[in-house]
Amino acid sequence: MKLKKELELLDARELLEMYRDMVRIREFEEACPKLYSQGKMGGFLHLYSGQEAVGVGVAHAMHKDDYMICAYREHGLALAKGIPPGPVMAELFGKATGVSKGKGGSMHMYDAELRFMGGYGIVGGHLPLSVGIGQAILYRETDEVVVCLFGDGATNQGVFHEAMNMAALYKVPVVFVCENNGYGIGTSVSRASSVEQLYKKSCAYETPGLKVDGMDVLEVYETVRTAVQKAREGGGPTYIEAVTYRFRGHSISDPGTYRSEQEKKIWRERDPIPNFAEWLLNEGHTDRGEIENIENEEKKRIEEAIRFAEESPDPDSEELWTDVYA
């Protein structure tokens, strides 16, 4: 991990915020399996542990009024976009104080004020929505940008290509970020895609395709920041493949036995959080005491989020049909 020229603009405070955000996501996600096993959460649960560098690098490259839209592995992305842990945890508990009032659950979190547009359960189903948001930005003649995150499996869907075509045709301000964690549920990319270098899939639409190390928060940040700026200036879409790895199975019910222990060990050694901490220390941006303080503060913050969720009320029965449109 090297601090490139463009990244010299980041000061120690901003770098430590990146570290804090990644720690917060990891603490949040690793608290969930125990709570789920205690019956405090229902439905599906797809955890983001291992992929934190992608979400945090992307979020820090965006302006506050830019839009983020993503798939169902979105707790970490919701936190990275700025939603506090309490409402995210309460949503998983199905409580009225949840970010979607307890009616969206793990896969359907939404916060219009923070421009976090969800959370979608259908693979690839949100890609056309990102193009629609981009069209709205063009219509309003504002300078916002949409960042659309999705998994590697979505690139095999027809809507991926439809969205790519429309985005390029109308030069909408969308940055597509594929989080390639190597597996669509339990099927490896090599068994599901005729093109294993997924960043090449945008060439049919003359959209720039880039590949980044998704375990390196600074590389993600730098690449996405450049693409966002280009989109903001009317340069149209960019497609980025971030190669990463999820440390847990596809969902809470998946033991992940289709992956070898050797493979998991190799990727664990590339864990973006301790590696970034070591980089911060080696570069003189912080000391061991500050790193430990951040970790302790975020652990306590997640404990408070759990307490908030446990003490929050269930949704009132009169709310059953509110905000339901289909």
Side-chain angles (χ1 to χ4, degrees), residues 37-58:
S37 69
Q38 292 172 344
K40 295 180 178 180
M41 301 173 181
F44 291 98
L45 188 71
H46 305 88
L47 300 175
Y48 200 65
S49 297
Q51 300 184 205
E52 295 90 347
V54 181
V56 171
V58 166

Side-chain angles (χ1 to χ4, degrees), residues 189-215:
V189 169
S190 62
R191 295 180 61 202
S193 176
S194 62
V195 178
E196 291 189 46
Q197 300 293 320
L198 302 185
Y199 73 96
K200 296 180 178 178
K201 287 192 174 185
S202 65
C203 67
Y205 312 103
E206 298 184 346
T207 294
L210 306 170
K211 183 177 182 178
V212 299
D213 181 357
M215 308 301 270

Side-chain angles (χ1 to χ4, degrees), residues 16 19-20 285-295:
L16 286 171
Y19 181 71
R20 179 183 291 280
H285 294 295
T286 188
D287 55 42
R288 190 69 67 183
E290 189 167 17
I291 290 290
E292 291 175 356
N293 284 341
I294 289 173
E295 293 168 351

Side-chain angles (χ1 to χ4, degrees), residues 1-231:
M1 185 179 297
K2 294 181 179 178
L3 193 62
K4 297 178 181 178
K5 184 177 180 181
E6 295 83 349
L7 293 174
E8 291 173 357
L9 298 172
L10 290 172
D11 59 25
R13 179 189 60 80
E14 292 167 308
L15 292 167
L16 286 171
E17 280 303 308
M18 285 182 171
Y19 181 71
R20 179 183 291 280
D21 290 349
M22 288 201 291
V23 170
R24 180 180 308 134
I25 294 170
R26 180 68 60 85
E27 290 290 339
F28 185 99
E29 296 291 69
E30 290 305 307
C32 288
K34 181 180 179 181
L35 298 166
Y36 191 94
S37 69
Q38 292 172 344
K40 295 180 178 180
M41 301 173 181
F44 291 98
L45 188 71
H46 305 88
L47 300 175
Y48 200 65
S49 297
Q51 300 184 205
E52 295 90 347
V54 181
V56 171
V58 166
H60 278 260
M62 302 169 65
H63 291 178
K64 293 292 184 187
D65 59 354
D66 289 335
Y67 297 89
M68 177 184 285
I69 187 167
C70 56
Y72 46 78
R73 196 180 304 282
E74 97 266 39
H75 319 154
L77 295 170
L79 295 170
K81 192 66 173 74
I83 302 176
V88 178
M89 187 64 77
E91 187 60 41
L92 296 178
F93 277 55
K95 297 298 186 73
T97 56
V99 67
S100 297
K101 301 180 183 178
K103 295 189 286 187
S106 173
M107 296 196 288
H108 302 100
M109 297 186 180
Y110 182 90
D111 190 317
E113 185 175 347
L114 291 174
R115 302 203 164 181
F116 183 78
M117 310 311 287
Y120 292 85
I122 303 299
V123 174
H126 62 295
L127 273 74
L129 300 180
S130 71
V131 178
I133 297 170
Q135 287 278 25
I137 292 171
L138 291 179
Y139 183 77
R140 295 196 305 257
E141 298 183 343
T142 57
D143 68 346
E144 298 130 337
V145 172
V146 188
V147 178
C148 176
L149 297 107
F150 49 91
D152 42 87
T155 68
N156 298 327
Q157 299 285 75
V159 292
F160 168 84
H161 299 278
E162 294 173 50
M164 281 281 169
N165 180 58
M166 292 284 286
L169 180 63
Y170 296 110
K171 290 190 178 299
V172 296
V174 179
V175 177
F176 298 101
V177 179
C178 172
E179 295 189 81
N180 179 7
N181 62 25
Y183 294 88
I185 308 182
T187 303
S188 66
V189 169
S190 62
R191 295 180 61 202
S193 176
S194 62
V195 178
E196 291 189 46
Q197 300 293 320
L198 302 185
Y199 73 96
K200 296 180 178 178
K201 287 192 174 185
S202 65
C203 67
Y205 312 103
E206 298 184 346
T207 294
L210 306 170
K211 183 177 182 178
V212 299
D213 181 357
M215 308 301 270
D216 184 337
V217 66
L218 296 182
E219 186 172 330
V220 173
Y221 166 81
E222 180 186 22
T223 305
V224 175
R225 189 180 72 87
T226 302
V228 164
Q229 186 62 29
K230 175 188 151 213

